[in-house]
Amino acid sequence: MALLTWLKRNLVVLAGLLTLVYLLLPNVIVTVFSFNQPKGRFNYEWQRFSADAWKDPCGVADLCGSLSLSLQIAFWATLGATVLGTMIAFALVRYRFRARGAISSLLFLPMAMPEVVMAASLLTLFLNMGAQLGFWTILIAHIMFCLSFVVTAVKARVMSMDPRLEQAAQDLYAGPFQTFLRVTLPIAAPGIAAGALLAFALSFDDFIITNFTAGSTVTFPMFVWGSAQRGTPVQINVIGTAMFVVAVLLVLVSMALNNRRTRRKA
């Protein structure tokens, strides 16, 4: 009876912990197998502990080259999508113009549309234009499908902003640029940052759209997909683990900075 009472009180907490374990389990497996030394080509069964892959993460041909290419594309796609998405979000929230509702609805299509449909459409567009498939076609495609996610994140933040803060800055003789730089932009910054991080993750991780628009260019997800058929090198697990650790550290640093700001305000 006491056990049932305890379960009822802590059911939500237990469900949350089980969900967290379920989400983190693949990352744990990737980390464990980054220290494996397989006998064959496939790194699917544990053989014995080895740190050789960590000593030479670029030991596999073209692995670090594809990783560098994916990081470059993700960086420029994030920059382009964030700048364009932020301006679009402000325009949709702050201004009234014809077809505003239609444009706002159309921006959600890339999020609702299957990636293979958008990938085939972009490939058809590039081929009809006579464009050579490669870095630039991938970048254009990534900016296009990341744009909707940035607009959604920034738009939600802009809609929650109190216009009286900007009006107060104007009453204190701040010009339009100064008001935007010192009042509007800092308030909208969390939404812009969220959209940028989301765009970077989506661009770096994308395979379907990239595969259609890449031509002979090989990004990191395409390299992993190709390696999975020939034999998965341990270095892929090493890079995956390193990226997971970096992401966790960024979250912890962000939380620590927010806690410090909260304490200072208190």
Side-chain angles (χ1 to χ4, degrees), residues 142-163:
H142 282 205
I143 292 175
M144 289 183 67
F145 83 85
C146 289
L147 190 63
S148 297
F149 295 90
V150 176
V151 171
T152 302
V154 179
K155 184 180 176 183
R157 182 64 178 177
V158 175
M159 290 178 66
S160 65
M161 291 173 56
D162 189 353

PDB file of all heavy atoms in Angstrom, residues 142-163:
ATOM      1  N   HIS A 142      19.619  24.369 -47.773  1.00  0.00           N
ATOM      2  CA  HIS A 142      19.581  24.377 -46.304  1.00  0.00           C
ATOM      3  C   HIS A 142      19.009  25.687 -45.776  1.00  0.00           C
ATOM      4  O   HIS A 142      18.249  25.690 -44.801  1.00  0.00           O
ATOM      5  CB  HIS A 142      20.986  24.142 -45.757  1.00  0.00           C
ATOM      6  CG  HIS A 142      21.414  22.714 -45.814  1.00  0.00           C
ATOM      7  ND1 HIS A 142      22.362  22.188 -44.966  1.00  0.00           N
ATOM      8  CD2 HIS A 142      21.019  21.699 -46.604  1.00  0.00           C
ATOM      9  CE1 HIS A 142      22.536  20.908 -45.242  1.00  0.00           C
ATOM     10  NE2 HIS A 142      21.733  20.594 -46.239  1.00  0.00           N
ATOM     11  N   ILE A 143      19.382  26.796 -46.392  1.00  0.00           N
ATOM     12  CA  ILE A 143      18.818  28.082 -45.962  1.00  0.00           C
ATOM     13  C   ILE A 143      17.303  28.080 -46.146  1.00  0.00           C
ATOM     14  O   ILE A 143      16.556  28.562 -45.289  1.00  0.00           O
ATOM     15  CB  ILE A 143      19.468  29.242 -46.732  1.00  0.00           C
ATOM     16  CG1 ILE A 143      20.934  29.399 -46.332  1.00  0.00           C
ATOM     17  CG2 ILE A 143      18.716  30.550 -46.473  1.00  0.00           C
ATOM     18  CD1 ILE A 143      21.683  30.446 -47.130  1.00  0.00           C
ATOM     19  N   MET A 144      16.850  27.497 -47.241  1.00  0.00           N
ATOM     20  CA  MET A 144      15.414  27.498 -47.540  1.00  0.00           C
ATOM     21  C   MET A 144      14.613  26.703 -46.515  1.00  0.00           C
ATOM     22  O   MET A 144      13.571  27.154 -46.038  1.00  0.00           O
ATOM     23  CB  MET A 144      15.179  26.953 -48.950  1.00  0.00           C
ATOM     24  CG  MET A 144      15.627  27.887 -50.058  1.00  0.00           C
ATOM     25  SD  MET A 144      15.253  27.247 -51.691  1.00  0.00           S
ATOM     26  CE  MET A 144      13.457  27.315 -51.664  1.00  0.00           C
ATOM     27  N   PHE A 145      15.096  25.502 -46.147  1.00  0.00           N
ATOM     28  CA  PHE A 145      14.280  24.714 -45.226  1.00  0.00           C
ATOM     29  C   PHE A 145      14.526  25.073 -43.756  1.00  0.00           C
ATOM     30  O   PHE A 145      13.703  24.763 -42.897  1.00  0.00           O
ATOM     31  CB  PHE A 145      14.459  23.207 -45.476  1.00  0.00           C
ATOM     32  CG  PHE A 145      15.646  22.575 -44.819  1.00  0.00           C
ATOM     33  CD1 PHE A 145      15.577  22.129 -43.507  1.00  0.00           C
ATOM     34  CD2 PHE A 145      16.821  22.361 -45.519  1.00  0.00           C
ATOM     35  CE1 PHE A 145      16.658  21.519 -42.907  1.00  0.00           C
ATOM     36  CE2 PHE A 145      17.905  21.749 -44.926  1.00  0.00           C
ATOM     37  CZ  PHE A 145      17.824  21.330 -43.610  1.00  0.00           C
ATOM     38  N   CYS A 146      15.648  25.758 -43.451  1.00  0.00           N
ATOM     39  CA  CYS A 146      15.874  26.225 -42.073  1.00  0.00           C
ATOM     40  C   CYS A 146      15.131  27.526 -41.796  1.00  0.00           C
ATOM     41  O   CYS A 146      14.889  27.867 -40.628  1.00  0.00           O
ATOM     42  CB  CYS A 146      17.366  26.434 -41.817  1.00  0.00           C
ATOM     43  SG  CYS A 146      18.334  24.921 -41.699  1.00  0.00           S
ATOM     44  N   LEU A 147      14.791  28.258 -42.848  1.00  0.00           N
ATOM     45  CA  LEU A 147      14.196  29.580 -42.702  1.00  0.00           C
ATOM     46  C   LEU A 147      12.899  29.538 -41.892  1.00  0.00           C
ATOM     47  O   LEU A 147      12.667  30.383 -41.022  1.00  0.00           O
ATOM     48  CB  LEU A 147      13.947  30.173 -44.091  1.00  0.00           C
ATOM     49  CG  LEU A 147      13.535  31.644 -44.157  1.00  0.00           C
ATOM     50  CD1 LEU A 147      14.642  32.514 -43.601  1.00  0.00           C
ATOM     51  CD2 LEU A 147      13.254  32.024 -45.607  1.00  0.00           C
ATOM     52  N   SER A 148      12.040  28.559 -42.156  1.00  0.00           N
ATOM     53  CA  SER A 148      10.749  28.477 -41.473  1.00  0.00           C
ATOM     54  C   SER A 148      10.915  28.295 -39.966  1.00  0.00           C
ATOM     55  O   SER A 148      10.169  28.874 -39.172  1.00  0.00           O
ATOM     56  CB  SER A 148       9.928  27.326 -42.044  1.00  0.00           C
ATOM     57  OG  SER A 148       9.645  27.537 -43.400  1.00  0.00           O
ATOM     58  N   PHE A 149      11.892  27.494 -39.569  1.00  0.00           N
ATOM     59  CA  PHE A 149      12.110  27.240 -38.151  1.00  0.00           C
ATOM     60  C   PHE A 149      12.602  28.502 -37.434  1.00  0.00           C
ATOM     61  O   PHE A 149      12.197  28.783 -36.303  1.00  0.00           O
ATOM     62  CB  PHE A 149      13.121  26.108 -37.971  1.00  0.00           C
ATOM     63  CG  PHE A 149      12.632  24.786 -38.487  1.00  0.00           C
ATOM     64  CD1 PHE A 149      12.872  24.399 -39.795  1.00  0.00           C
ATOM     65  CD2 PHE A 149      11.922  23.926 -37.668  1.00  0.00           C
ATOM     66  CE1 PHE A 149      12.427  23.181 -40.281  1.00  0.00           C
ATOM     67  CE2 PHE A 149      11.469  22.701 -38.136  1.00  0.00           C
ATOM     68  CZ  PHE A 149      11.722  22.328 -39.447  1.00  0.00           C
ATOM     69  N   VAL A 150      13.459  29.269 -38.104  1.00  0.00           N
ATOM     70  CA  VAL A 150      13.943  30.518 -37.509  1.00  0.00           C
ATOM     71  C   VAL A 150      12.807  31.517 -37.390  1.00  0.00           C
ATOM     72  O   VAL A 150      12.646  32.182 -36.348  1.00  0.00           O
ATOM     73  CB  VAL A 150      15.094  31.096 -38.344  1.00  0.00           C
ATOM     74  CG1 VAL A 150      15.538  32.446 -37.781  1.00  0.00           C
ATOM     75  CG2 VAL A 150      16.274  30.142 -38.385  1.00  0.00           C
ATOM     76  N   VAL A 151      11.994  31.653 -38.435  1.00  0.00           N
ATOM     77  CA  VAL A 151      10.872  32.588 -38.401  1.00  0.00           C
ATOM     78  C   VAL A 151       9.917  32.232 -37.265  1.00  0.00           C
ATOM     79  O   VAL A 151       9.445  33.116 -36.531  1.00  0.00           O
ATOM     80  CB  VAL A 151      10.123  32.577 -39.750  1.00  0.00           C
ATOM     81  CG1 VAL A 151       8.830  33.388 -39.650  1.00  0.00           C
ATOM     82  CG2 VAL A 151      10.998  33.160 -40.850  1.00  0.00           C
ATOM     83  N   THR A 152       9.627  30.964 -37.097  1.00  0.00           N
ATOM     84  CA  THR A 152       8.708  30.539 -36.038  1.00  0.00           C
ATOM     85  C   THR A 152       9.241  30.887 -34.659  1.00  0.00           C
ATOM     86  O   THR A 152       8.511  31.397 -33.793  1.00  0.00           O
ATOM     87  CB  THR A 152       8.463  29.022 -36.135  1.00  0.00           C
ATOM     88  OG1 THR A 152       7.933  28.710 -37.429  1.00  0.00           O
ATOM     89  CG2 THR A 152       7.474  28.570 -35.076  1.00  0.00           C
ATOM     90  N   ALA A 153      10.525  30.627 -34.420  1.00  0.00           N
ATOM     91  CA  ALA A 153      11.118  30.903 -33.110  1.00  0.00           C
ATOM     92  C   ALA A 153      11.181  32.400 -32.820  1.00  0.00           C
ATOM     93  O   ALA A 153      10.822  32.850 -31.723  1.00  0.00           O
ATOM     94  CB  ALA A 153      12.517  30.289 -33.037  1.00  0.00           C
ATOM     95  N   VAL A 154      11.624  33.183 -33.798  1.00  0.00           N
ATOM     96  CA  VAL A 154      11.759  34.629 -33.588  1.00  0.00           C
ATOM     97  C   VAL A 154      10.388  35.294 -33.515  1.00  0.00           C
ATOM     98  O   VAL A 154      10.161  36.205 -32.703  1.00  0.00           O
ATOM     99  CB  VAL A 154      12.607  35.250 -34.709  1.00  0.00           C
ATOM    100  CG1 VAL A 154      12.724  36.765 -34.506  1.00  0.00           C
ATOM    101  CG2 VAL A 154      13.992  34.628 -34.735  1.00  0.00           C
ATOM    102  N   LYS A 155       9.461  34.841 -34.327  1.00  0.00           N
ATOM    103  CA  LYS A 155       8.120  35.425 -34.340  1.00  0.00           C
ATOM    104  C   LYS A 155       7.435  35.267 -32.986  1.00  0.00           C
ATOM    105  O   LYS A 155       6.782  36.196 -32.489  1.00  0.00           O
ATOM    106  CB  LYS A 155       7.288  34.777 -35.432  1.00  0.00           C
ATOM    107  CG  LYS A 155       5.899  35.374 -35.607  1.00  0.00           C
ATOM    108  CD  LYS A 155       5.147  34.659 -36.709  1.00  0.00           C
ATOM    109  CE  LYS A 155       3.719  35.173 -36.827  1.00  0.00           C
ATOM    110  NZ  LYS A 155       2.947  34.424 -37.853  1.00  0.00           N
ATOM    111  N   ALA A 156       7.581  34.094 -32.376  1.00  0.00           N
ATOM    112  CA  ALA A 156       6.981  33.875 -31.057  1.00  0.00           C
ATOM    113  C   ALA A 156       7.564  34.828 -30.019  1.00  0.00           C
ATOM    114  O   ALA A 156       6.843  35.335 -29.149  1.00  0.00           O
ATOM    115  CB  ALA A 156       7.200  32.425 -30.627  1.00  0.00           C
ATOM    116  N   ARG A 157       8.868  35.089 -30.125  1.00  0.00           N
ATOM    117  CA  ARG A 157       9.511  36.007 -29.181  1.00  0.00           C
ATOM    118  C   ARG A 157       9.075  37.453 -29.417  1.00  0.00           C
ATOM    119  O   ARG A 157       8.792  38.197 -28.464  1.00  0.00           O
ATOM    120  CB  ARG A 157      11.032  35.892 -29.314  1.00  0.00           C
ATOM    121  CG  ARG A 157      11.820  36.768 -28.349  1.00  0.00           C
ATOM    122  CD  ARG A 157      11.576  36.373 -26.911  1.00  0.00           C
ATOM    123  NE  ARG A 157      12.375  37.195 -26.002  1.00  0.00           N
ATOM    124  CZ  ARG A 157      12.321  37.108 -24.678  1.00  0.00           C
ATOM    125  NH1 ARG A 157      11.510  36.220 -24.116  1.00  0.00           N
ATOM    126  NH2 ARG A 157      13.054  37.875 -23.919  1.00  0.00           N
ATOM    127  N   VAL A 158       9.008  37.854 -30.683  1.00  0.00           N
ATOM    128  CA  VAL A 158       8.634  39.242 -31.002  1.00  0.00           C
ATOM    129  C   VAL A 158       7.194  39.516 -30.589  1.00  0.00           C
ATOM    130  O   VAL A 158       6.863  40.610 -30.112  1.00  0.00           O
ATOM    131  CB  VAL A 158       8.851  39.513 -32.503  1.00  0.00           C
ATOM    132  CG1 VAL A 158       8.352  40.902 -32.874  1.00  0.00           C
ATOM    133  CG2 VAL A 158      10.331  39.378 -32.857  1.00  0.00           C
ATOM    134  N   MET A 159       6.314  38.535 -30.771  1.00  0.00           N
ATOM    135  CA  MET A 159       4.902  38.719 -30.408  1.00  0.00           C
ATOM    136  C   MET A 159       4.722  38.914 -28.903  1.00  0.00           C
ATOM    137  O   MET A 159       3.758  39.541 -28.472  1.00  0.00           O
ATOM    138  CB  MET A 159       4.083  37.520 -30.880  1.00  0.00           C
ATOM    139  CG  MET A 159       3.928  37.430 -32.390  1.00  0.00           C
ATOM    140  SD  MET A 159       2.998  35.973 -32.925  1.00  0.00           S
ATOM    141  CE  MET A 159       1.375  36.368 -32.246  1.00  0.00           C
ATOM    142  N   SER A 160       5.639  38.376 -28.106  1.00  0.00           N
ATOM    143  CA  SER A 160       5.527  38.501 -26.648  1.00  0.00           C
ATOM    144  C   SER A 160       6.196  39.761 -26.105  1.00  0.00           C
ATOM    145  O   SER A 160       6.146  40.012 -24.896  1.00  0.00           O
ATOM    146  CB  SER A 160       6.144  37.276 -25.973  1.00  0.00           C
ATOM    147  OG  SER A 160       7.540  37.206 -26.220  1.00  0.00           O
ATOM    148  N   MET A 161       6.822  40.541 -26.962  1.00  0.00           N
ATOM    149  CA  MET A 161       7.512  41.748 -26.517  1.00  0.00           C
ATOM    150  C   MET A 161       6.517  42.841 -26.150  1.00  0.00           C
ATOM    151  O   MET A 161       5.479  42.999 -26.801  1.00  0.00           O
ATOM    152  CB  MET A 161       8.460  42.247 -27.611  1.00  0.00           C
ATOM    153  CG  MET A 161       9.657  41.348 -27.861  1.00  0.00           C
ATOM    154  SD  MET A 161      10.636  41.854 -29.297  1.00  0.00           S
ATOM    155  CE  MET A 161      11.026  43.539 -28.862  1.00  0.00           C
ATOM    156  N   ASP A 162       6.846  43.609 -25.127  1.00  0.00           N
ATOM    157  CA  ASP A 162       6.012  44.719 -24.683  1.00  0.00           C
ATOM    158  C   ASP A 162       6.397  45.974 -25.472  1.00  0.00           C
ATOM    159  O   ASP A 162       7.522  46.478 -25.336  1.00  0.00           O
ATOM    160  CB  ASP A 162       6.218  44.954 -23.186  1.00  0.00           C
ATOM    161  CG  ASP A 162       5.219  45.965 -22.614  1.00  0.00           C
ATOM    162  OD1 ASP A 162       4.468  46.577 -23.404  1.00  0.00           O
ATOM    163  OD2 ASP A 162       5.196  46.137 -21.385  1.00  0.00           O
ATOM    164  N   PRO A 163       5.522  46.501 -26.318  1.00  0.00           N
ATOM    165  CA  PRO A 163       5.880  47.675 -27.134  1.00  0.00           C
ATOM    166  C   PRO A 163       6.135  48.927 -26.300  1.00  0.00           C
ATOM    167  O   PRO A 163       6.760  49.880 -26.779  1.00  0.00           O
ATOM    168  CB  PRO A 163       4.659  47.855 -28.041  1.00  0.00           C
ATOM    169  CG  PRO A 163       3.537  47.180 -27.327  1.00  0.00           C
ATOM    170  CD  PRO A 163       4.150  46.036 -26.586  1.00  0.00           C
TER     171      PRO A 163
END
